[in-house]
């Protein structure tokens, strides 16, 4: 506390009246659930400048690339240990015919990307390019097959083309197209948003379709498919109930889509111009993810008490109005410190539900929606959301530690929410990581954390914050918001005293 008094109160965002202390208990010697690294996954669709320009520039581009894929983007994603990448959609998946995207590029047929701007898709980025991208990233592919406008045979043959190791029409075609050995693909989605852009189906109809399509998606050799059914649109609990009843253990995962839209779908709000009331609503809507996961899990528990079927939150993130002067069908939006707070709060929520949530994929990696990377021709920048992932990568495959938290409130216009959000884990080497978010954009938080069951010796940390909640990285100022070393945590007799600045995301490492 002494150190707090020495610092100017305004710098800390503290009012002259002392705030009550936030109390955190971390049970460092407990915990039984693993935080699946796939919770830190991503999603990239043939949409706007995500694939084209974002990853794919072609072999002849002056932008440094490996077999057509930009090196800077690959390196940045490796630095956050991207565990998986979902592709080719999204809505695009249900109008994608994979055979158009293999073979010599010059001979690949073109198509209209009807969902996203009506642009011509030349199919130059297809199966081989995507799986090469995943190999360069060192991540697992997650492919979504076409149920809406494709056939059972088409999906079945795609699996055979990619994964069959032996003599077959599809594996021969793969070899003819330059890839001798099969790839390993575990995560396989059977349709996307089949309740909407993927075919406007009823839950009952889709459940039957899933059973049909999934039957013919074979696990060849030692490639074991983890089949993911199209799950509910946010709070559609009936969809979950129907799928659990009619499909049950025939699926390994059930997807969930939920976007944080600050205002309405008609006017979603600006990515960079927002007042505190809009910020408050954004976080409130983000916190709804916790309720969604709890309620869908409760339904699933009735049919699957052993939790064999995972929730796969394969589309989530902020969705704003597109940046002015950009193609409305390209969903290009800037990304501020607000987005990093949204990401960090969501990741804490996913960690807390890791007994059921086995994967989550932020929409959509590069240049689309809540991107971690933005590009402008040869330039690339890392968004505040990127830096949240950078801080949180420590939780991948670590053991979730039980915590209890008594938090101050962040209040605005008579409404309140907890100011602090926390998650803690212990990795294989025994290190403890605590990620904390101070949601309050105005007040710092003094946190007293008791670390039970561990003799902590050393503490270090990294923090993400900025002067304004709407600060962002631009191509003119690409490092305006980024991570810095954190020194305001003090360890004494197993008690950690933390001074968490307003609107910040912090990662502490305890040894
Ligand atoms: O991520 C953008 C779109 O949002 C996806 O294509 C679709 O699945 C969802 O509606």
């Amino acid at each position: 506390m002494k150190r707090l008094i020495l610092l100017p109160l305004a710098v800390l965002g503290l009012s002259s009246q002392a705030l009550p202390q936030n109390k955190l208990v971390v049970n460092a010697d407990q915990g039984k659930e693993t935080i699946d690294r796939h919770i830190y996954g991503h999603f990239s669709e043939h949409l706007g400048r995500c694939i084209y320009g974002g990853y794919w520039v072609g072999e002849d581009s002056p932008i440094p690339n490996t077999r057509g894929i930009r090196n800077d983007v690959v390196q940045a994603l490796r630095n956050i240990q991207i565990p998986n990448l979902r592709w080719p959609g999204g809505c695009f998946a249900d109008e994608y015919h994979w055979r158009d995207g293999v073979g010599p590029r010059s001979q690949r047929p073109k198509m209209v990307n009807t969902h996203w701007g009506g642009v011509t898709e030349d199919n130059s980025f297809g199966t081989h390019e995507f799986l090469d991208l995943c190999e360069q990233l060192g991540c697992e592919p997650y492919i979504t097959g076409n149920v809406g406008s494709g056939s059972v045979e088409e999906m079945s043959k795609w699996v055979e083309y990619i994964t069959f190791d032996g003599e077959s029409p599809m594996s021969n075609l793969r070899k003819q197209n330059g890839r001798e050995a099969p790839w390993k693909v575990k995560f396989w989605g059977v349709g996307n948003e089949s309740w909407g852009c993927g075919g406007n189906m009823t839950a009952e109809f889709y459940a039957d379709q899933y059973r049909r399509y999934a039957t013919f998606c074979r696990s060849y050799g030692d490639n074991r498919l983890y089949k993911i059914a199209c799950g509910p649109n946010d709070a559609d609990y009936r969809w979950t109930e129907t799928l659990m009843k009619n499909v049950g253990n025939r699926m390994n995962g059930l997807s969930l889509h939920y976007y944080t839209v600050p205002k309405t779908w008609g006017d979603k709000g600006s990515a960079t111009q927002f007042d505190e009331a809009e910020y408050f609503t954004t976080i409130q809507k983000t916190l709804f993810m916790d309720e969604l996961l709890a309620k869908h899990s409760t339904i699933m528990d009735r049919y699957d008490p052993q939790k064999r079927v995972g929730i796969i939150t394969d589309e989530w993130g902020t969705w704003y109005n597109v940046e002015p002067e950009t193609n409305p069908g390209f969903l290009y939006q800037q990304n501020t410190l607000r987005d990093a707070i949204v990401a960090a709060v969501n990741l804490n929520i996913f960690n807390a539900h890791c007994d059921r949530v086995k994967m989550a994929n932020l929409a959509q990696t590069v240049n689309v929606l809540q991107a971690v990377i933005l590009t402008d021709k040869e330039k690339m920048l890392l968004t505040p959301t990127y830096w949240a992932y950078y801080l949180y990568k420590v939780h991948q495959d670590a053991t979730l530690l039980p915590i209890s938290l008594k938090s101050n409130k962040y209040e605005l216009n008579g409404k309140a929410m907890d100011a602090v959000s926390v998650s803690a884990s212990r990795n294989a080497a025994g290190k403890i990581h605590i990620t904390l978010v101070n949601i309050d954009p105005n007040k710092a938080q003094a946190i007293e954390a008791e670390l039970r069951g561990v003799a902590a010796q050393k503490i270090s940390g990294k923090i993400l914050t900025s002067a304004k909640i709407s600060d962002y990285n631009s191509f003119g100022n690409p490092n305006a918001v980024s991570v810095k070393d954190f020194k305001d945590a003090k360890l004494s007799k197993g008690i950690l005293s933390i001074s968490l600045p307003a609107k910040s995301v912090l990662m502490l490492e305890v040894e």
Side-chain angles (χ1 to χ4, degrees):
M1 278 317 277
K2 199 172 166 206
R3 192 170 23 77
L4 283 178
I5 294 162
L6 289 175
L7 287 167
L9 292 171
V11 168
L12 292 168
L14 287 170
S15 69
S16 54
Q17 213 180 356
L19 285 169
Q21 188 93 315
N22 299 282
K23 299 262 189 212
L24 172 67
V25 176
V26 177
N27 294 292
D29 57 346
Q30 296 180 21
K32 50 184 193 333
E33 303 295 342
T34 299
I35 300 170
D36 200 309
R37 69 180 187 284
H38 291 295
I39 283 178
Y40 292 82
H42 291 267
F43 164 43
S44 293
E45 181 169 9
H46 286 240
L47 195 178
R49 295 186 300 111
C50 186
I51 298 294
Y52 298 108
Y55 296 103
W56 182 254
V57 287
E59 284 147 343
D60 300 330
S61 169
I63 298 172
N65 69 84
T66 301
R67 295 180 293 280
I69 297 167
R70 8 188 346 154
N71 295 341
D72 52 357
V73 169
V74 166
Q75 193 50 52
L77 292 174
R78 288 183 72 93
N79 290 348
I80 53 170
Q81 285 171 213
I82 179 174
N84 69 67
L85 188 60
R86 177 175 183 248
W87 173 87
C91 296
F92 181 79
D94 281 291
E95 60 180 356
Y96 182 63
H97 300 283
W98 69 270
R99 290 187 82 149
D100 295 348
V102 296
R105 276 186 214 113
S106 59
Q107 290 168 30
R108 295 183 191 174
K110 296 183 171 52
M111 66 179 281
V112 184
N113 190 335
T114 57
H115 284 289
W116 307 118
V119 295
T120 302
E121 160 70 55
D122 71 0
N123 278 307
S124 50
F125 189 92
T127 302
H128 290 245
E129 291 78 14
F130 171 65
L131 292 166
D132 185 16
L133 169 64
C134 290
E135 285 179 346
Q136 292 188 36
L137 292 170
C139 81
E140 290 203 43
Y142 168 12
I143 293 181
T144 299
N146 180 346
V147 171
S149 70
S151 67
V152 172
E153 184 193 11
E154 182 184 1
M155 194 185 293
S156 168
K157 286 195 164 153
W158 201 7
V159 176
E160 180 188 325
Y161 182 92
I162 295 170
T163 62
F164 185 65
D165 186 10
E167 172 89 18
S168 86
M170 288 302 108
S171 65
N172 287 347
L173 182 61
R174 182 190 71 232
K175 290 173 195 169
Q176 199 181 305
N177 288 334
R179 172 79 184 200
E180 189 62 29
W183 287 278
K184 287 264 183 280
V185 173
K186 178 176 171 187
F187 301 114
W188 195 271
V190 181
N192 169 75
E193 296 196 350
S194 304
W195 37 261
C197 66
N200 288 304
M201 302 175 200
T202 63
E204 288 77 7
F205 182 77
Y206 171 73
D208 285 347
Q209 291 300 309
Y210 172 89
R211 292 166 70 120
R212 236 180 109 221
Y213 277 76
T215 302
F216 299 95
C217 292
R218 310 287 187 193
S219 287
Y220 293 109
D222 62 356
N223 188 72
R224 304 281 95 193
L225 290 180
Y226 180 100
K227 297 176 197 171
I228 300 166
C230 164
N233 181 24
D234 56 66
D236 186 352
Y237 300 113
R238 191 184 168 275
W239 186 281
T240 298
E241 182 90 44
T242 308
L243 267 280
M244 290 308 292
K245 196 162 39 171
N246 296 3
V247 176
N249 281 345
R250 288 171 200 268
M251 60 187 165
N252 303 102
L254 181 67
S255 71
L256 167 67
H257 288 186
Y258 173 63
Y259 285 96
T260 299
V261 179
K263 291 166 93 179
T264 63
W265 281 102
D267 172 17
K268 304 177 198 72
S270 156
T272 53
Q273 314 285 313
F274 53 92
D275 60 14
E276 192 175 339
E278 205 166 311
Y279 169 72
F280 191 95
T281 315
T282 307
I283 303 301
Q284 238 181 0
K285 291 190 173 182
T286 297
L287 291 167
F288 183 54
M289 182 68 90
D290 189 47
E291 180 180 325
L292 281 176
L293 293 174
K295 289 189 172 166
H296 286 295
S297 295
T298 302
I299 296 167
M300 294 172 80
D301 285 349
R302 275 196 275 113
Y303 296 89
D304 174 34
Q306 284 159 320
K307 301 185 192 294
R308 291 204 183 102
V309 180
I311 292 183
I312 308 295
T313 316
D314 58 18
E315 287 190 31
W316 69 273
T318 51
W319 194 326
Y320 309 119
N321 297 332
V322 297
E323 286 301 303
E325 331 267 287
T326 64
N327 187 328
F330 281 13
L331 310 187
Y332 177 75
Q333 64 189 40
Q334 248 298 353
N335 194 292
T336 68
L337 182 59
R338 170 177 64 166
D339 293 270
I341 304 248
V342 167
V345 167
N346 262 307
L347 292 171
N348 283 349
I349 293 172
F350 295 145
N351 284 358
H353 287 274
C354 71
D355 59 336
R356 184 63 88 175
V357 177
K358 298 299 169 195
M359 186 192 285
N361 308 72
L362 179 66
Q364 301 201 0
T365 330
V366 197
N367 294 330
V368 170
L369 298 178
Q370 192 175 350
V372 292
I373 293 173
L374 300 178
T375 65
D376 179 12
K377 301 187 189 76
E378 78 291 352
K379 292 190 214 134
M380 180 194 84
L381 67 78
L382 308 174
T383 66
T385 299
Y386 176 93
W387 291 113
Y389 273 81
Y390 179 83
L391 295 179
Y392 274 64
K393 64 184 175 183
V394 292
H395 288 311
Q396 292 191 23
D397 285 340
T399 302
L400 179 75
L401 295 176
I403 56 166
S404 76
L405 172 70
K406 189 172 150 289
S407 171
N408 292 333
K409 295 290 176 201
Y410 162 40
E411 289 169 307
L412 189 77
N413 301 332
K415 293 191 215 135
M417 63 176 81
D418 279 358
V420 180
S421 158
V422 179
S423 187
S425 69
R426 184 182 59 245
N427 71 10
K431 286 186 186 168
I432 292 155
H433 293 104
I434 311 173
T435 47
L436 304 101
V437 189
N438 182 0
I439 291 166
D440 194 319
N442 307 309
K443 293 180 187 150
Q445 302 295 329
I447 301 172
E448 190 184 281
E450 186 186 341
L451 303 173
R452 288 190 186 156
V454 67
Q457 306 287 326
K458 203 175 130 200
I459 176 99
S460 58
K462 292 200 181 300
I463 191 157
L464 179 72
T465 188
S466 194
K468 289 197 280 159
I469 190 74
S470 56
D471 283 348
Y472 58 89
N473 295 332
S474 63
F475 291 101
N477 190 7
N479 300 313
V481 189
S482 72
V483 163
K484 299 195 174 48
D485 285 342
F486 180 75
K487 306 280 180 209
D488 274 341
K490 223 176 40 176
L491 190 61
S492 171
K493 297 185 185 136
I495 302 287
L496 202 51
S497 304
I498 308 160
S499 167
L500 189 60
K503 50 180 164 13
S504 65
V505 181
L506 172 65
M507 187 279 294
L508 291 175
E509 183 169 278
V510 183
E511 292 173 74

